[in-house]
Amino acid sequence: MKSLRDLKPGKKGKVAYITGCEDIKQKLYDLGIIPGETVEVLQDAPFGGPIKIKVHDYCLALRKKEASCIMVEEER
Amino acid sequence: MKDIVVALVGNPNVGKSALLNAISGAEVKVGNWPGVTVEKLEATFIYKNYKIHFVDLPGVYSLRNQTAEEKVTIDFLLKEKPDIILNVVDSTNLKRNLYLTVQLLELELPMVIALNIWDEAVEKGIVVDYEKMSKLLCVPVIPTSAKDKTGLNELLDKLIDVYENKKFVQCEHFETQIEEYLKKVINLVSEYQPILLDLFPKRYLAVSLLEGTLNEPITSSLEEKLKQIREEIKSLYKKDIKTVIVEERYGVVLSIYHQTVKKQREDVVDSSITLDKIFLHKYLGIPIFLLLVWIVFEITFKISSPYVEWLDKVLGVVSSWTLSLLDMANTPDMLKSFVAEGVLGGVGFVLVFVPVLFTLYIMIAILEGSGYISRAAFLMDRFFSSVGLSGKSFIPLLLGFGCNVPAVYATKTIENEREKILTTLMIPFMSCGARLTVFAFFVSVFFTSNKGLVIFSLYLIGIGVAVLVAVLLNKFYFKTKSQFFIMELPPYRLPTFKYVINTAWVRVKAFIVEAGTFIFAMSVLVWFLTNIPYGAKKDETILANVSKKVAVIFQPLGFGTWEATASLFSGFVAKEVVLSTMGNIYVGEKIQEEKKETSFTEGIKEIATGFIDANINLVKNFVSIFGFVKKEEEEFDKSLADAIRSAFNPASAYSFLVFLLLYTPCLATVFAIKQELNSYKWMFLSIAINFTAAWIVSFIVYNVVKDFL
C-alpha cells in the first residue's frame, strides 16, 4: 500500500481508501476516484508541480499534496 | 405558440455551449448569474411553433451545492423548475458523465439526454446502445454532434415530445435496502416537517437529508431521527452514508455502462495522451507554452491595431461631418465642442476596444475549446500556488502588459471565484501599453542616460505590488488556509470555426452594450468637468478647481501641484489622454488636430481606403510577429518637454510615474472589473486598493530617491 504520490509515471494502482483530505474526499468521489477504481499515473509537471492521472476514461491533474491522500494498491 | 424552458446541464468540457451554438447560432446571449462570477448563456429558438428558451447552466461534476457552479445549477433546477432538463453528456467519457445524470434523475423533472460528441465516439470505435440506455434510465437518449450537426432536429423533436407528454418515471435503482431507507426518510419528513415535501422533489430530499447536505433548516426532532438512520446504515455497511450513496450511484452508472457500451477496439494510441507527452513534457512543456502565449499576445494586440487605427479615422471623418452639419445650423461653440469631444469622443473610447476584444475572445475560444488552457494551468501551477493562485492566472496577467481591459475579460477562463477575484485585482498593476507612452516621454526628459533601466524598474514595481496585494488579500480577506487543485485535462479537440466566431461575437456584443453605456456616460461627464465654465481659462474649470483642493494629498509624494493632479485625473479616465491633457495644462494651448473640412464623398473615400490600409497593415503585422519589427522612434512635443522639465525634478518625476503606474489604469478597466466580477463592491475595492498602493509606494519611492536623484 502506498499513496498515489509515490506511484511512478506509467504505473497503475487500485484505490484502497482516501485519507487526510476530508475537504476534498467528496470532490474526488464525484470525479470517480472511489475505492476499487484503477488509476494510472501518466505524467508529472516540472519543479514538483501537479501530476496527471487517468481514471475511468479521462485525465485529471492534481497537486502532489492531494495525491498523497489517495492510498493505492500498486498493480504489478 | 408555446414556450418551453430547457436547462442544459452537464459536466464541464462536454460541448454544451457548442451544442447550443449549433442549435441556435447567433441567438446566444451572454450574461452573468446574479451574485457570482459564473457566465450565463441563453438562447431563444423558434422551432415548429414552439418557442424554446435554452438556459446553459454552468458545467458541474455533481449537484453537491459546494462550488459556485453547483449552487447556481441546483438553485436554478429547484427554484426555476425548467420544463425540461437537457442533460448533455460526453459519449467518449460516459462513466463520469452518467454519475451526474443519475443525480439529475433525483430531481423528478422531465429529462432528455444528449449523447454529445457522438462523432468522436464513433471514430474511437465506441458503440453505445442508446435505446437500451434510454430504457435503463427511463429517459429518452439522443446521439448528437455539435461538430457534424447531427441529431439536432431529433433532439428538438424529442424535447417537444417530452414537453407535450409531461411524464416522469422515477427509476428506483439503488439497492433495495437503501431504497427502503429513502422511503423511511420521506415518511419521517411527512411526520415531522411536511413542508419540505412541497419545497423539494422527494428523492432529492430523501438523499440530501441522509447525506446532511440539504440547504434548508431542519427541525431538531427530524434531525434526531435522521441521525439514527445514518448510524444504522453505518453499522450495516461499515462506511459513512456519503460514501454509501456515492458507491450506489456509481454502481448504477457502471451497471448501465457495462450493459450499453462496447468498445470495438482498445486504442493503443490515444492522440490526447500523445499530444500531452509533448505539451506537458517535463522540460519542453514550459518553453512550448511560453512560445504559444507569446503568439497569443502578439496576435491579440497586433492583429487588432490596424483596425483600431481605422476606427479612429472613421470617427475623425464622422466628427468632421457632424461639425460641418452643426456649423450649417449655426450651433453655438459649446454645443459643438460637446458633441465632438464629449459624445463622439465617448463613442471612440468604446469602439477602440472592439477589435482587440474580438481578437482576444477568438484566442480564448480557441484556447478553451481546444483544451489547451487546462494544460497551461497544469504547467504554471507550481509558480502560482505559492501566491494562492493557480496556473490559469498566467494568461490574463500577461495580457495585462498589453492592455488591462482584455486582460480582465480573459479571467473568464478561471473557474475558482477567489482566484478569479485575486487575478482581476492584480491586473491593474500590470503596466499596459498606454502607460508606456507616458513613461517613455518622462524618461526621455529626465533619465536620458538610463531609459531602459528606469522603465524596467517600473514594470518590476508593478509586478511586485501585484504579488504583495495578492498575498495580503489571501491572508487577511480570504483567510485561505488550504487550497486544492483538482482539474480535468479534457481531450484535445479542434473547436469549429463557427463556434469560435460566435462565442467571440456574443461576448463583444455584451461589452458594447454594457461597457458602452457606462464609458460613454463617463466621457460626457469628463467633458463637463474639463470644459465648464465654457471658455474659462485653463485654471478656472471645474477640474482645475477640484484639482487645486485635492493637490495637497500629493504634496508628500513630490508633485502636489494642481497641474499634476489634473493630469492624474485625466489618467483615471484613460492613460492615452494623459500626455494631451498635460499639453493643454502645462503648455496652455490646445494641441489641436488640424481641422479640415471633409466633404461627404471625401469622407467615404477616406474610410474605404483606410479599411484597405488596415487590412494591408494586418498582413504586415502578422508577418512582423514572426519576423523583425522595426520600432519607430516616437517624437515628443518639445514645448511640453520644456514645461515638464521645469515643473518636475527627477525624484518627483519618478514618483509621479510610480503613481501613474499603480493607480487605477482607466475607466474601461474599472468597468471591465465590474462586468467580469459581476459586482460593484469589487470594482470600488479595486479602485481603493490601487489608489492606496500607488500613494504608499510613491511616498516611499520619493523619500528614498530624492536624496540620490
Side-chain angles (χ1 to χ4, degrees):
Chain A
M1 184 92 60
K2 47 166 82 169
S3 84
L4 194 60
R5 184 194 175 125
D6 303 322
L7 225 54
K8 295 260 169 329
K11 297 283 177 200
K12 290 180 183 178
K14 194 172 253 178
V15 177
Y17 57 91
I18 293 166
T19 174
C21 308
E22 279 310 310
D23 45 341
I24 60 157
K25 192 168 162 186
Q26 213 62 51
K27 173 104 186 164
L28 291 171
Y29 278 174
D30 288 340
L31 289 167
I33 302 178
I34 46 173
E37 229 10 269
T38 305
V39 290
E40 182 183 354
V41 176
L42 293 176
Q43 276 173 305
D44 47 2
F47 310 111
I51 60 169
K52 177 188 170 191
I53 63 167
K54 186 175 175 181
V55 60
H56 295 295
D57 288 325
Y58 76 102
C59 296
L60 265 182
L62 32 88
R63 286 189 188 139
K64 291 243 157 80
K65 199 177 74 193
E66 282 96 44
S68 63
C69 299
I70 303 169
M71 301 306 288
V72 293
E73 204 76 66
E74 187 171 348
E75 278 178 18
R76 293 182 192 277
Chain B
M1 195 170 309
K2 290 182 187 169
D3 284 31
I4 313 180
V5 179
V6 177
L8 277 84
V9 190
N11 287 178
N13 314 307
V14 296
K16 275 190 305 129
S17 40
L19 188 67
L20 189 58
N21 259 299
I23 294 176
S24 60
E27 301 301 313
V28 180
K29 283 195 186 61
V30 64
N32 251 312
W33 291 94
V36 284
T37 60
V38 183
E39 194 175 70
K40 179 184 191 181
L41 292 177
E42 282 176 287
T44 305
F45 183 69
I46 292 172
Y47 182 77
K48 289 190 181 165
N49 223 22
Y50 289 88
K51 205 173 175 184
I52 311 180
H53 183 69
F54 290 99
V55 184
D56 186 13
L57 295 173
V60 290
Y61 295 107
S62 88
L63 297 178
R64 202 170 298 287
N65 206 6
Q66 277 183 344
T67 64
E69 286 86 357
E70 287 166 6
K71 282 195 181 100
V72 166
T73 302
I74 193 75
D75 263 15
F76 184 86
L77 295 176
L78 288 177
K79 291 185 184 138
E80 309 286 320
K81 287 203 190 345
D83 295 311
I84 305 171
I85 293 178
L86 174 55
N87 178 208
V88 184
V89 303
D90 176 353
S91 313
T92 65
N93 184 8
L94 280 169
K95 280 188 211 162
R96 197 200 61 214
N97 275 257
L98 289 176
Y99 178 76
L100 178 68
T101 306
V102 170
Q103 288 186 62
L104 288 171
L105 289 173
E106 291 162 9
L107 299 176
E108 296 174 7
L109 283 166
M111 187 158 120
V112 175
I113 295 174
L115 283 182
N116 203 22
I117 318 184
W118 184 257
D119 53 311
E120 218 171 280
V122 172
E123 212 172 282
K124 282 188 169 170
I126 302 170
V127 180
V128 186
D129 184 347
Y130 57 91
E131 277 160 2
K132 184 168 183 188
M133 184 181 282
S134 168
K135 281 176 204 143
L136 292 170
L137 285 165
C138 318
V139 288
V141 178
I142 312 278
T144 58
S145 161
K147 200 168 150 197
D148 301 347
K149 303 207 169 215
T150 49
L152 303 183
N153 284 339
E154 289 87 335
L155 186 66
L156 290 168
D157 287 334
K158 191 51 89 180
L159 287 173
I160 289 170
D161 178 44
V162 168
Y163 175 78
E164 287 299 343
N165 315 297
K166 275 202 178 100
K167 51 171 197 256
F168 179 80
V169 189
Q170 179 69 64
C171 276
E172 294 185 355
H173 40 216
F174 289 173
E175 62 173 69
T176 323
Q177 189 84 46
I178 300 284
E179 291 292 345
E180 287 305 317
Y181 278 118
L182 293 179
K183 286 199 185 97
K184 222 180 199 169
V185 172
I186 291 302
N187 289 337
L188 286 170
V189 174
S190 45
E191 193 176 332
Y192 292 98
Q193 205 174 343
I195 180 98
L196 290 178
L197 289 171
D198 300 332
L199 295 175
F200 299 97
K202 259 189 203 160
R203 195 176 176 83
Y204 173 82
L205 180 65
V207 174
S208 35
L209 278 174
L210 267 187
E211 288 188 315
T213 53
L214 192 74
N215 198 10
E216 188 75 26
I218 307 161
T219 60
S220 54
S221 42
L222 179 60
E223 183 58 46
E224 199 56 42
K225 295 279 173 195
L226 287 171
K227 228 181 204 166
Q228 278 174 19
I229 297 185
R230 278 184 213 134
E231 290 297 317
E232 244 175 77
I233 294 178
K234 196 165 186 178
S235 63
L236 197 66
Y237 288 85
K238 310 271 182 284
K239 303 171 191 163
D240 69 288
I241 175 70
K242 284 186 181 169
T243 314
V244 173
I245 299 276
V246 171
E247 288 183 356
E248 276 302 316
R249 284 186 185 137
Y250 265 108
V252 176
V253 168
L254 291 178
S255 114
I256 293 175
Y257 180 86
H258 290 303
Q259 289 182 65
T260 56
V261 183
K262 304 264 176 306
K263 275 191 187 169
Q264 283 181 326
R265 56 192 147 87
E266 203 57 59
D267 279 345
V268 200
V269 187
D270 182 323
S271 59
S272 284
I273 287 181
T274 318
L275 281 173
D276 266 352
K277 285 207 175 115
I278 304 163
F279 285 127
L280 297 185
H281 189 272
K282 218 168 175 170
Y283 307 109
L284 291 178
I286 289 181
I288 292 173
F289 166 70
L290 292 177
L291 181 76
L292 287 174
V293 161
W294 177 71
I295 292 174
V296 167
F297 186 92
E298 290 286 291
I299 288 183
T300 305
F301 294 108
K302 280 214 173 139
I303 296 298
S304 55
S305 73
Y307 296 99
V308 174
E309 282 161 27
W310 175 68
L311 278 172
D312 230 26
K313 203 171 267 175
V314 172
L315 274 162
V317 172
V318 170
S319 100
S320 89
W321 282 342
T322 321
L323 285 178
S324 319
L325 275 179
L326 291 175
D327 268 342
M328 273 190 269
N330 267 334
T331 325
D333 272 359
M334 179 174 159
L335 190 62
K336 278 201 305 206
S337 153
F338 174 73
V339 171
E341 287 161 35
V343 177
L344 289 172
V347 173
F349 264 135
V350 179
L351 285 186
V352 292
F353 288 110
V354 169
V356 66
L357 280 179
F358 192 67
T359 15
L360 171 84
Y361 283 144
I362 288 178
M363 293 288 121
I364 289 188
I366 294 173
L367 284 174
E368 279 188 318
S370 64
Y372 187 75
I373 197 99
S374 315
R375 273 70 185 184
F378 182 86
L379 291 168
M380 300 311 286
D381 184 69
R382 189 71 197 86
F383 307 104
F384 283 84
S385 57
S386 48
V387 216
L389 294 170
S390 76
K392 287 200 176 176
S393 306
F394 185 77
I395 291 175
L397 288 173
L398 189 86
L399 286 169
F401 290 113
C403 173
N404 286 184
V405 177
V408 169
Y409 286 113
T411 61
K412 249 182 225 326
T413 53
I414 308 174
E415 290 95 17
N416 181 297
E417 177 139 347
R418 184 186 52 81
E419 285 170 17
K420 182 170 175 162
I421 292 172
L422 277 178
T423 311
T424 310
L425 294 180
M426 287 169 86
I427 286 169
F429 295 110
M430 303 297 126
S431 184
C432 64
R435 272 171 268 190
L436 185 61
T437 58
V438 187
F439 296 164
F441 178 73
F442 268 77
V443 164
S444 71
V445 175
F446 288 103
F447 309 103
T448 34
S449 51
N450 35 20
K451 283 183 188 171
L453 192 71
V454 170
I455 291 183
F456 187 61
S457 74
L458 288 166
Y459 277 79
L460 283 186
I461 291 177
I463 297 170
V465 172
V467 170
L468 191 69
V469 165
V471 169
L472 290 177
L473 275 173
N474 244 334
K475 195 158 183 180
F476 296 107
Y477 185 84
F478 292 103
K479 299 196 173 76
T480 25
K481 286 193 195 88
S482 67
Q483 295 130 23
F484 60 84
F485 172 80
I486 306 171
M487 181 187 63
E488 187 187 352
L489 294 168
Y492 289 101
R493 289 187 175 120
L494 206 61
T496 64
F497 181 75
K498 192 184 165 197
Y499 169 74
V500 170
I501 297 294
N502 264 352
T503 323
W505 171 235
V506 160
R507 285 170 171 170
V508 166
K509 219 162 55 182
F511 169 80
I512 296 175
V513 173
E514 288 176 50
T517 352
F518 176 84
I519 299 172
F520 176 72
M522 292 314 280
S523 149
V524 170
L525 178 72
V526 167
W527 183 87
F528 273 99
L529 291 179
T530 46
N531 283 283
I532 301 294
Y534 192 74
K537 278 194 212 128
K538 57 175 182 167
D539 59 349
E540 282 165 9
T541 59
I542 301 183
L543 175 65
N545 282 320
V546 172
S547 299
K548 281 174 193 161
K549 295 214 167 62
V550 178
V552 60
I553 61 170
F554 298 115
Q555 203 68 56
L557 315 183
F559 48 88
T561 62
W562 79 263
E563 290 95 336
T565 312
S567 310
L568 286 176
F569 179 83
S570 78
F572 183 81
V573 179
K575 294 286 177 290
E576 287 88 346
V577 297
V578 171
L579 285 181
S580 71
T581 314
M582 292 187 109
N584 288 345
I585 295 172
Y586 283 98
V587 185
E589 70 207 84
K590 275 204 172 186
I591 300 179
Q592 287 282 11
E593 287 170 38
E594 51 186 298
K595 247 197 183 164
K596 55 169 185 182
E597 298 262 315
T598 320
S599 77
F600 187 72
T601 43
E602 272 172 25
I604 294 285
K605 221 164 106 191
E606 204 170 302
I607 292 176
T609 52
F611 188 68
I612 296 168
D613 281 347
N615 287 315
I616 294 171
N617 283 336
L618 168 74
V619 177
K620 274 192 196 153
N621 284 358
F622 201 76
V623 173
S624 79
I625 291 177
F626 303 98
F628 299 99
V629 198
K630 233 170 133 190
K631 269 252 151 49
E632 283 169 39
E633 273 292 316
E634 270 187 82
E635 279 190 20
F636 294 113
D637 191 44
K638 186 112 187 356
S639 50
L640 178 58
D642 290 338
I644 296 290
R645 196 170 288 126
S646 58
F648 288 86
N649 60 48
S652 68
Y654 191 64
S655 163
F656 184 74
L657 290 186
V658 170
F659 196 91
L660 202 82
L661 161 80
L662 298 174
Y663 82 122
T664 302
C666 64
L667 274 177
T669 304
V670 168
F671 185 79
I673 294 175
K674 191 261 142 191
Q675 197 180 18
E676 199 49 44
L677 293 184
N678 195 16
S679 133
Y680 281 106
K681 177 184 130 188
W682 286 112
M683 181 185 95
F684 285 118
L685 268 175
S686 162
I687 297 174
I689 290 170
N690 277 84
F691 191 84
T692 318
W695 199 93
I696 294 174
V697 179
S698 294
F699 179 76
I700 296 171
V701 165
Y702 179 65
N703 284 291
V704 170
V705 299
K706 71 178 173 193
D707 300 327
F708 299 101
L709 291 175

